[in-house]
């Protein structure tokens, strides 16, 4: 379809998603359903049942103003491109009027959603498009792969840049990670929020304009996405300091003197390194050292970062090599 259709008046609250008709609620499952808690293997559903449940969840999300598309069990757009084998230049983003253009198909129109799901009977989940009105959704994807402690990293970034992390809609992923939903200002006039992977810290990805989040209630090969309990029912506004970080086209400008940088970020960087779990010690040290150099504090913080890295069990030789790599960068 050429132009996504969207509701102009979002409902007032993010209510719990409906259960599929065949779902049996269990204690501890915040959404009910036929699957285990996040991180556990899903109980098998018939393909038709999983498809019907995904459609029900997608329609519920669309009723609250979120534009959606069907997804496969591997979290990819489920409707196949009509241009397979004949890619255009520039690529078509739905101007041809046919479905199969990924996030560009996203819509809140119930009939349009049913048509998309009818074109992809293998769909078992749905994606929520980011950056679209009325919510202008921004997703913070906090991953736990390879031992990443992305939630702690985000907290240290917030402390270093002096912005709060408001309670907001949180979706728990099957791998043990989480998605934080925030609302942003319209773009334009505000800067467009781009998608990024690991730019803020290892394990922190940003989903902005042109991206999508896997919606709660979706079933993937790894399990089911569910809303975290006891969290707000609608997204909180993104803090201004966070918006500055995720929209900046380049690294923060280096100040003329180290004294221009307040001391709080330095302590946050040292604590960030000292709390590194096994498997993330080098990555955290490198990231912290890079931030220190960007702030003009590289030489001043090297000894403290080295000591913090040694406290985690990293050898002095490894730590010095990592600090040298950060300095060269």
């Amino acid at each position: 379809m050429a132009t996504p259709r969207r509701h102009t008046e979002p409902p007032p609250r993010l209510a719990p998603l409906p259960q599929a008709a065949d779902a049996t609620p269990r204690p501890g499952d915040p959404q009910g359903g036929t699957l285990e808690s996040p991180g556990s293997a899903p109980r098998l559903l018939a393909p038709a049942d999983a498809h019907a449940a995904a459609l029900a969840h997608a329609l519920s999300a669309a009723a609250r103003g979120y534009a959606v598309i069907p997804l496969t069990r591997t979290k990819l757009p489920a409707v196949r491109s009509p241009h397979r084998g004949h890619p255009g230049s520039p690529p078509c983003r739905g101007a041809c009027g046919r479905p199969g253009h990924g996030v560009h198909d996203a819509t809140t129109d119930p009939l349009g959603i049913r048509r998309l799901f009818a074109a992809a009977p293998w769909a078992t989940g749905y994606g929520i498009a980011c950056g679209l009105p009325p919510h202008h959704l921004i997703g913070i994807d906090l991953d736990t792969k390879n031992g990443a402690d992305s939630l702690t990293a985000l907290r240290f970034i917030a402390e270093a840049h002096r912005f709060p992390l408001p309670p907001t809609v949180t979706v728990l992923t099957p791998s043990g990670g989480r998605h934080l939903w925030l609302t942003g200002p319209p773009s334009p006039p505000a800067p467009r929020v781009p998608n990024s992977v690991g730019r803020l810290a290892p394990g922190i990805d940003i989903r902005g304009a042109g991206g999508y989040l896997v919606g709660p209630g979706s079933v993937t090969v790894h399990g089911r996405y569910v809303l975290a309990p006891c969290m707000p029912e609608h997204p909180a506004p993104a803090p201004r300091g966070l918006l500055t970080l995720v929209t900046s086209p380049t690294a923060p400008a280096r100040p003329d003197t180290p004294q221009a940088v307040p001391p709080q970020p330095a302590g946050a960087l040292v604590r960030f390194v000292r709390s590194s779990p096994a498997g993330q010690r080098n990555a955290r040290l490198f990231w912290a050292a890079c931030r220190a150099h960007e702030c003009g504090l590289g030489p001043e913080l090297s000894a403290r970062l080295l000591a913090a890295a040694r406290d985690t069990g990293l050898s002095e030789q490894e730590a010095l090599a990592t600090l040298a790599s950060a300095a060269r960068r």
Side-chain angles (χ1 to χ4, degrees):
M1 55 192 66
T3 304
R5 288 176 285 180
R6 310 179 184 98
H7 294 301
T8 57
E9 296 183 5
R13 62 196 296 266
L14 183 67
L17 293 171
Q19 295 173 190
D22 61 328
T24 302
R26 297 185 321 282
D29 184 349
Q31 296 305 316
T34 58
L35 299 173
E36 301 300 331
S37 58
S40 64
R43 291 158 58 182
L44 294 179
L45 286 176
D49 293 336
H51 180 82
L55 173 59
H57 287 300
L59 289 170
S60 177
R64 297 190 295 277
Y66 297 101
V68 300
I69 56 171
L71 298 181
T72 67
R73 286 184 179 271
T74 56
K75 302 183 290 187
L76 295 176
V79 180
R80 292 167 179 160
S81 171
H83 309 293
R84 293 191 308 276
H86 304 281
S89 181
C92 178
R93 289 184 169 86
C96 67
R98 291 175 290 175
H101 299 86
V103 73
H104 303 289
D105 291 341
T107 180
T108 58
D109 176 58
L111 180 57
I113 294 168
R114 292 182 184 278
R115 286 173 174 168
L116 289 173
F117 272 81
W122 46 85
T124 61
Y126 65 102
I128 295 178
C130 296
L132 299 180
H135 302 288
H136 305 283
L137 192 65
I138 301 169
I140 312 295
D141 184 353
L142 302 178
D143 205 351
T144 58
K145 294 177 182 175
N146 302 317
D149 187 0
S150 50
L151 181 57
T152 300
L154 181 62
R155 288 170 176 162
F156 277 118
I157 292 170
E159 178 185 353
H161 293 272
R162 298 184 174 182
F163 62 80
L165 285 178
T168 190
V169 176
T170 302
V171 176
L172 305 179
T173 73
S175 64
R178 61 188 64 201
H179 296 166
L180 309 183
W181 294 14
L182 299 167
T183 60
S187 174
R192 177 178 178 269
V193 176
N195 296 285
S196 64
V197 176
R199 183 186 178 197
L200 294 183
I204 301 180
D205 301 339
I206 304 298
R207 298 289 178 261
Y212 61 87
L213 292 165
V214 180
S218 295
V219 176
T220 70
V221 292
H222 298 295
R224 181 172 179 250
Y225 286 69
V226 298
L227 282 172
C230 304
M231 299 301 290
E233 296 174 336
H234 50 271
R240 183 176 300 179
L242 178 62
L243 285 174
T244 300
L245 289 177
V246 299
T247 57
S248 175
T250 57
R254 177 174 176 146
D256 293 333
T257 62
Q259 289 73 23
V261 180
Q264 186 176 5
L269 291 175
V270 173
R271 290 193 296 276
F272 180 58
V273 173
R274 185 169 286 119
S275 63
S276 301
Q280 277 292 304
R281 294 174 296 187
N282 263 316
R284 285 200 180 196
L285 176 60
F286 180 77
W287 181 85
C290 287
R291 302 293 83 76
H293 282 287
E294 289 168 2
C295 294
L297 295 174
E300 289 79 1
L301 277 184
S302 290
R304 293 175 62 186
L305 292 175
L306 174 61
R310 293 182 62 184
D311 288 345
T312 68
L314 200 65
S315 71
E316 182 170 354
Q317 183 177 3
E318 287 180 290
L320 288 173
T322 301
L323 290 171
S325 295
R328 287 194 298 270
R329 179 180 179 183

